[in-house]
Amino acid sequence: MTRTLITSALPYINGIKHLGNLVGSQLPADLYARYRRARGDEVMFVCATDEHGTPAELAAARAGQAVADYCSEMHEVQADLARRFGLSFDHFGRSSSVHNHRLTQHLAARLGEAGLIEVVEEEQVYSPADGRFLPDRYIEGTCPNCGYDKARGDQCEECTKQLEPTALIEPRSAISGATDLEVRKTRHLFLRQSALRERLDQWIDSKADWPVLTTSIAKKWLHDGDGLRDRGITRDLDWGIPAQFEGAPWEGMAGKVFYVWFDAPIEYISATAEWAEANGKSEKDWKRWWKTDEGAENVRYVQFMGKDNVPFHTLSFPATLMGSGEDWKLVDYIKSFNYLNYDGGQFSTSQGRGVFMDQALEILPADYWRWWLLSHAPENSDSEFTWENFQLSVNKDLADVLGNFVSRVTKFCRSRFGEKVPEGGDCGPEEEALIAALAKRLRAYEAHMDAIEIRKAAGELRAIWVLGNEYLQEAAPWAAFKQDPARAAAIIRLALNLIRLYAVLSAPFIPEASQRILAAMQAEDDGWPEDVAAALRALAPGHGFRVPEVLFAKISDEAREEWQARFAGGRDR
RNA sequence: GGGCCUGUAGCUCAGUUGGUUAGAGCGGAGCGCUCAUAACGCUUUGGUCGCAGGUUCGAGUCCUGCCGGGCCUACCA
């Protein structure tokens, strides 16, 4: 049996994610996981909240909570939203878990023993008023280049010039506004990625099938300037995984924690360990997904992420695993996404611009969002959400093409034959043509899903739905019923089976609606169709069904206009 | 500044290694159907493929320059 390991980039703990975040990793990962399961793979699909780092500490402080409490609470909020969006994780873990502490420290120790970690002393800006070192972007001041007074220490957003924090005029803390900043010396662990450059380069070269977006970013980092640079993997923070621990092959890191980008990808593995523990499994059960010397050699590992995460997944995380000298499973395929924009601009968490996951579910069921987001996924370039497009797409595709098909067939059957699959009548050339067309499109659909070409797959699925309407028009059971009721029965029997088939094929995109259709059809068989003709006989004559409630209500112009105004900026809570 | 991506019908996007008259869906127009969520089907209308050069028998596709949009640039995550 094919075994597929799927991970989605970890959503950061700091607040509720917007639709752009969702479509950038978790949602397409779920689509693929559901599809692979439907095709009979053994699937392990994990995700987690990414809980460490400066923003988490600051968000907790703003909320007046201890950071551990804040993270616990936000983890539950995100887990609940993920569940309500139908994200079918086998486990949704936490990067702050005890498993991740243990494994992160273990890998760091291995790297240290392998000589791949060194202690580097550097200078950083410290804010006594805040009681913490400030990352460059948490220092604000006047840009020496253009005079913009809110330039950040890493870059001026006004003139886009890159800056050093010490170059800012009148620098201040972006957290407190304090101006008594000082430069202090501090010691950090650095991962000697440069020592692994050759191996990483060869490894990337072996991935000829990866999207350009993915490999070009990795290549840039590998070859730019002096090549891959070593990277600091610790920070002067309280909240995180301690960098000084029993058995650590270095001294003097007391009070420091690992950098979030060191421990976050390791959580993919740890989350699988958490899964094992939560489900009464053994260590063996999770290691067979991750250790190539313990059963993972035939696992296919696919990662999903936004393009901003690519360097960490193509370079530093593989460097961590390779450098450990242990037999960890490396990623086989990376599917990365561009960004989704919102109505002519960017989604903005800080300005509350755009639609966030909780708000989306307040106004419409998850399947509406899933369908639009996936069928417009920003695969090749940034794409844009507009309410007009969303309304048109949902009304046309879901309500008119699919929903109405289910409605017209089941209601016609109920009024003419009752709520059971009618018997009698013969199939003819129309049905043969339909089956041939379906088989062809099904193969195309599978090919696109296998290649994780999401928009193309959505287009093919929609075309499969359209075939049903074309067939009904051609076969015209309402006309046949008047002369030859048996012929009408044969047509409707096929059409009812088509509904069941649509539910099965559509489930990766719209799982909740598919479930409702299957329930209405009282179908027990939800297996992926190996043979279309056979799949269209699954519901036998006499099989009972119910006419389902309206599957997809249309979005009215009034509702669209209201939401358009409501989400234009300034989160309403 | 550097690297990469991107610009194709009103809108959202396909266009394989360069190969005839550039495609799909939506929208617009017309016709048909009447089972259905005024839904469905058929036909049809839309494009100097960002601009200017070049290579070639042949360029949406390759090269150069320019213009526009985006991302990354290693201490946000």
Side-chain angles (χ1 to χ4, degrees), chain A residues 126-176:
Chain A
Y126 184 84
S127 168
D130 294 301
R132 64 166 68 234
F133 283 95
L134 297 177
D136 288 356
R137 70 163 45 197
Y138 283 97
I139 303 163
E140 280 181 357
T142 301
C143 174
N145 190 47
C146 71
Y148 180 60
D149 66 352
K150 288 198 181 72
R152 291 190 324 217
D154 55 344
Q155 188 177 40
C156 173
E157 293 197 315
E158 193 64 25
C159 66
T160 73
K161 191 175 175 61
Q162 279 182 77
L163 302 170
E164 289 296 318
T166 48
L168 290 172
I169 300 163
E170 294 176 359
R172 59 186 182 272
S173 162
I175 302 165
S176 62

Coordinates of all heavy atoms in Angstrom, one line a residue, chain A residues 126-176:
Chain A
Y126 N 19.5 46.1 22.6 CA 18.8 45.7 23.8 C 18.0 46.9 24.3 O 18.5 48.0 24.2 CB 19.8 45.2 24.9 CG 19.1 44.7 26.1 CD1 18.7 43.4 26.2 CD2 18.9 45.5 27.2 CE1 18.0 42.9 27.3 CE2 18.2 45.1 28.3 CZ 17.8 43.7 28.4 OH 17.2 43.3 29.5
S127 N 16.8 46.6 24.7 CA 15.9 47.6 25.3 C 15.7 47.4 26.7 O 15.0 46.5 27.1 CB 14.6 47.7 24.5 OG 13.7 48.5 25.2
P128 N 16.4 48.2 27.6 CA 16.2 48.0 29.1 C 14.7 48.1 29.5 O 14.2 47.4 30.3 CB 17.1 49.0 29.7 CG 18.1 49.4 28.6 CD 17.3 49.2 27.3
A129 N 14.0 49.1 28.9 CA 12.7 49.3 29.2 C 11.8 48.1 28.9 O 10.8 47.8 29.7 CB 12.1 50.6 28.5
D130 N 12.1 47.5 27.9 CA 11.3 46.3 27.5 C 11.8 45.0 28.2 O 11.2 44.0 28.2 CB 11.2 46.1 26.0 CG 10.5 47.2 25.3 OD1 9.3 47.4 25.5 OD2 11.1 47.9 24.4
G131 N 13.1 45.1 28.6 CA 13.7 44.0 29.2 C 14.0 42.9 28.2 O 14.0 41.7 28.6
R132 N 14.3 43.2 27.0 CA 14.5 42.2 26.0 C 15.4 42.7 24.9 O 15.5 43.9 24.6 CB 13.2 41.7 25.4 CG 12.4 42.7 24.7 CD 11.3 42.1 23.8 NE 10.3 41.5 24.6 CZ 9.9 40.2 24.5 NH1 10.5 39.4 23.6 NH2 8.9 39.7 25.2
F133 N 16.0 41.8 24.2 CA 16.7 42.1 22.9 C 15.6 42.4 21.9 O 14.6 41.7 21.9 CB 17.6 41.0 22.5 CG 18.9 40.9 23.2 CD1 19.1 40.1 24.3 CD2 20.0 41.7 22.9 CE1 20.3 40.0 25.1 CE2 21.2 41.7 23.6 CZ 21.3 40.8 24.7
L134 N 15.9 43.3 21.0 CA 14.9 43.6 20.0 C 15.3 43.0 18.6 O 16.4 43.4 18.1 CB 14.7 45.1 19.8 CG 14.1 45.8 21.1 CD1 14.1 47.3 20.8 CD2 12.8 45.3 21.4
P135 N 14.5 42.2 18.0 CA 14.8 41.8 16.6 C 14.8 43.1 15.7 O 14.1 44.1 16.1 CB 13.6 40.9 16.2 CG 13.1 40.4 17.5 CD 13.3 41.5 18.5
D136 N 15.5 43.1 14.6 CA 15.6 44.3 13.8 C 14.3 45.0 13.5 O 14.2 46.2 13.5 CB 16.4 44.0 12.5 CG 17.8 43.7 12.8 OD1 18.3 43.8 13.9 OD2 18.5 43.3 11.8
R137 N 13.3 44.2 13.2 CA 12.1 44.8 12.8 C 11.2 45.3 13.9 O 10.2 46.0 13.7 CB 11.3 43.9 11.9 CG 10.7 42.7 12.6 CD 9.6 42.1 11.8 NE 9.9 41.9 10.4 CZ 9.1 41.7 9.4 NH1 7.8 41.7 9.6 NH2 9.5 41.6 8.2
Y138 N 11.7 45.1 15.1 CA 11.0 45.7 16.3 C 11.7 47.0 16.7 O 11.4 47.5 17.8 CB 11.0 44.7 17.4 CG 9.9 43.7 17.2 CD1 10.2 42.4 16.7 CD2 8.6 44.0 17.5 CE1 9.2 41.5 16.5 CE2 7.6 43.0 17.3 CZ 7.9 41.8 16.8 OH 6.9 40.9 16.6
I139 N 12.6 47.5 15.9 CA 13.2 48.8 16.1 C 12.7 49.8 15.1 O 12.7 49.4 13.9 CB 14.7 48.7 16.1 CG1 15.2 47.7 17.1 CG2 15.3 50.1 16.3 CD1 16.6 47.3 16.8
E140 N 12.1 50.9 15.5 CA 11.6 51.9 14.5 C 12.4 53.2 14.7 O 13.0 53.5 15.7 CB 10.2 52.2 14.8 CG 9.2 51.2 14.3 CD 7.7 51.6 14.6 OE1 7.5 52.6 15.3 OE2 6.9 50.9 14.2
G141 N 12.4 53.9 13.6 CA 13.1 55.2 13.6 C 13.0 55.9 12.3 O 12.2 55.5 11.4
T142 N 13.7 57.0 12.1 CA 13.6 57.7 10.9 C 14.6 57.2 9.9 O 15.8 57.0 10.2 CB 13.9 59.2 11.2 OG1 12.9 59.7 12.1 CG2 13.8 60.0 9.9
C143 N 14.1 57.0 8.7 CA 14.9 56.4 7.6 C 16.0 57.4 7.2 O 15.7 58.5 6.8 CB 14.1 56.0 6.4 SG 15.0 55.5 5.0
P144 N 17.3 57.0 7.2 CA 18.3 57.9 6.8 C 18.3 58.2 5.3 O 18.9 59.2 4.8 CB 19.6 57.2 7.2 CG 19.2 55.7 7.2 CD 17.8 55.7 7.6
N145 N 17.6 57.4 4.6 CA 17.5 57.5 3.1 C 16.4 58.5 2.7 O 16.6 59.4 1.9 CB 17.3 56.2 2.5 CG 17.5 56.2 1.0 OD1 18.5 56.7 0.5 ND2 16.6 55.6 0.3
C146 N 15.2 58.3 3.2 CA 14.1 59.1 2.7 C 13.4 59.9 3.8 O 12.5 60.7 3.5 CB 13.0 58.1 2.1 SG 12.1 57.1 3.2
G147 N 13.8 59.7 5.0 CA 13.2 60.5 6.1 C 11.9 60.1 6.6 O 11.3 60.7 7.5
Y148 N 11.4 58.9 6.2 CA 10.2 58.3 6.7 C 10.4 58.0 8.2 O 11.4 57.4 8.6 CB 9.9 57.0 5.9 CG 8.6 56.3 6.3 CD1 7.4 56.9 6.2 CD2 8.7 55.0 6.7 CE1 6.2 56.2 6.6 CE2 7.5 54.3 7.1 CZ 6.3 54.9 7.0 OH 5.2 54.2 7.4
D149 N 9.4 58.4 9.0 CA 9.7 58.3 10.4 C 9.2 57.0 11.1 O 9.3 56.8 12.3 CB 9.1 59.5 11.2 CG 7.5 59.5 11.1 OD1 7.0 58.7 10.3 OD2 6.9 60.3 11.8
K150 N 8.7 56.1 10.3 CA 8.3 54.8 10.9 C 9.1 53.6 10.2 O 8.6 52.5 10.0 CB 6.8 54.5 10.7 CG 6.0 55.4 11.7 CD 4.6 54.9 11.8 CE 3.7 55.7 12.7 NZ 3.3 57.0 12.1
A151 N 10.3 53.9 9.8 CA 11.1 52.9 9.1 C 11.5 51.8 10.2 O 11.7 52.1 11.3 CB 12.4 53.5 8.6
R152 N 11.5 50.6 9.7 CA 11.9 49.5 10.6 C 13.4 49.2 10.5 O 14.0 49.6 9.5 CB 11.1 48.2 10.3 CG 9.7 48.3 10.6 CD 9.0 46.9 10.4 NE 9.6 46.2 9.3 CZ 8.9 45.4 8.5 NH1 7.6 45.2 8.7 NH2 9.5 44.7 7.5
G153 N 13.9 48.5 11.5 CA 15.3 48.3 11.6 C 15.9 47.4 10.5 O 17.1 47.4 10.2
D154 N 15.0 46.6 9.8 CA 15.5 45.8 8.7 C 15.2 46.4 7.4 O 16.0 46.2 6.4 CB 14.8 44.4 8.8 CG 13.3 44.5 8.8 OD1 12.7 45.6 9.0 OD2 12.6 43.5 8.5
Q155 N 14.2 47.2 7.3 CA 13.9 47.8 6.0 C 13.0 49.0 6.2 O 12.2 49.0 7.1 CB 13.2 46.8 5.1 CG 13.0 47.2 3.7 CD 12.4 46.1 2.8 OE1 11.5 45.4 3.2 NE2 12.9 46.0 1.6
C156 N 13.1 50.0 5.3 CA 12.2 51.1 5.3 C 11.0 50.8 4.3 O 11.3 50.6 3.1 CB 12.9 52.4 4.8 SG 11.7 53.8 4.6
E157 N 9.8 50.7 4.8 CA 8.7 50.3 4.0 C 8.3 51.4 3.0 O 7.7 51.2 2.0 CB 7.5 50.0 4.8 CG 7.7 48.7 5.7 CD 6.4 48.1 6.2 OE1 5.6 48.9 6.7 OE2 6.3 46.9 6.1
E158 N 8.8 52.6 3.3 CA 8.5 53.8 2.4 C 9.3 53.7 1.1 O 8.8 53.8 0.0 CB 8.7 55.1 3.1 CG 8.1 56.3 2.5 CD 6.6 56.2 2.3 OE1 5.9 55.5 3.1 OE2 6.0 56.9 1.4
C159 N 10.7 53.6 1.3 CA 11.5 53.7 0.2 C 12.1 52.3 -0.2 O 12.9 52.2 -1.1 CB 12.7 54.7 0.4 SG 13.9 54.3 1.7
T160 N 11.7 51.3 0.6 CA 12.1 49.9 0.4 C 13.6 49.6 0.6 O 14.0 48.5 0.3 CB 11.7 49.3 -1.0 OG1 12.5 49.9 -2.0 CG2 10.2 49.6 -1.3
K161 N 14.3 50.6 1.0 CA 15.7 50.4 1.2 C 16.0 49.5 2.4 O 15.3 49.6 3.5 CB 16.4 51.7 1.4 CG 18.0 51.7 1.3 CD 18.6 53.1 1.4 CE 20.1 53.0 1.5 NZ 20.7 52.4 0.3
Q162 N 16.9 48.6 2.3 CA 17.3 47.8 3.4 C 18.2 48.5 4.4 O 19.0 49.3 4.0 CB 18.1 46.6 2.9 CG 17.2 45.5 2.4 CD 18.1 44.3 2.0 OE1 18.6 43.6 2.8 NE2 18.3 44.2 0.7
L163 N 18.0 48.3 5.7 CA 18.7 49.1 6.7 C 19.3 48.2 7.7 O 18.9 47.1 7.9 CB 17.7 50.1 7.3 CG 16.9 51.0 6.4 CD1 15.8 51.7 7.3 CD2 17.8 52.1 5.8
E164 N 20.3 48.8 8.4 CA 20.8 48.3 9.6 C 20.1 49.0 10.8 O 19.9 50.2 10.6 CB 22.3 48.5 9.7 CG 23.1 47.6 8.8 CD 22.9 46.1 9.1 OE1 23.0 45.8 10.2 OE2 22.8 45.4 8.1
P165 N 19.7 48.3 11.8 CA 19.0 49.1 12.9 C 19.8 50.2 13.4 O 19.2 51.3 13.8 CB 18.8 48.0 14.0 CG 19.6 46.8 13.5 CD 19.8 46.9 12.1
T166 N 21.1 50.1 13.4 CA 22.0 51.2 14.0 C 22.0 52.4 13.0 O 22.5 53.4 13.4 CB 23.4 50.7 14.2 OG1 23.8 50.0 13.0 CG2 23.5 49.7 15.4
A167 N 21.5 52.2 11.8 CA 21.5 53.3 10.9 C 20.3 54.2 11.0 O 20.3 55.4 10.6 CB 21.6 52.8 9.4
L168 N 19.3 53.8 11.8 CA 18.1 54.6 12.0 C 18.4 55.8 12.8 O 19.2 55.8 13.7 CB 17.1 53.8 12.7 CG 16.4 52.6 11.9 CD1 15.5 51.8 12.9 CD2 15.6 53.1 10.8
I169 N 17.8 56.9 12.4 CA 17.9 58.2 13.2 C 16.8 58.1 14.3 O 15.7 57.8 14.0 CB 17.7 59.4 12.2 CG1 18.7 59.4 11.1 CG2 17.7 60.7 13.0 CD1 18.4 60.3 10.0
E170 N 17.2 58.5 15.5 CA 16.3 58.4 16.6 C 15.6 57.1 16.8 O 14.4 57.0 16.7 CB 15.3 59.6 16.6 CG 16.0 60.9 16.7 CD 15.0 62.1 16.6 OE1 13.8 61.8 16.3 OE2 15.4 63.2 16.7
P171 N 16.4 56.0 16.9 CA 15.7 54.7 17.0 C 15.0 54.5 18.3 O 15.3 55.1 19.3 CB 16.9 53.7 17.0 CG 18.1 54.5 17.5 CD 17.8 55.9 17.1
R172 N 13.9 53.8 18.2 CA 13.1 53.5 19.4 C 12.5 52.1 19.3 O 12.5 51.5 18.2 CB 11.9 54.5 19.5 CG 11.0 54.5 18.3 CD 10.0 55.6 18.3 NE 9.1 55.4 17.1 CZ 9.3 56.0 16.0 NH1 10.4 56.7 15.8 NH2 8.5 55.8 15.0
S173 N 12.1 51.6 20.4 CA 11.5 50.3 20.5 C 10.1 50.3 19.9 O 9.3 51.2 20.2 CB 11.4 49.8 22.0 OG 10.5 48.7 22.0
A174 N 9.8 49.4 19.0 CA 8.5 49.4 18.3 C 7.5 48.8 19.3 O 6.3 49.0 19.1 CB 8.5 48.5 17.1
I175 N 8.0 48.2 20.4 CA 7.1 47.6 21.4 C 6.6 48.7 22.4 O 5.4 48.9 22.6 CB 7.8 46.5 22.1 CG1 8.2 45.4 21.1 CG2 6.9 45.9 23.2 CD1 9.2 44.5 21.7
S176 N 7.5 49.4 23.0 CA 7.2 50.4 24.0 C 7.4 51.8 23.6 O 7.0 52.7 24.3 CB 8.0 50.1 25.3 OG 9.4 50.2 24.9

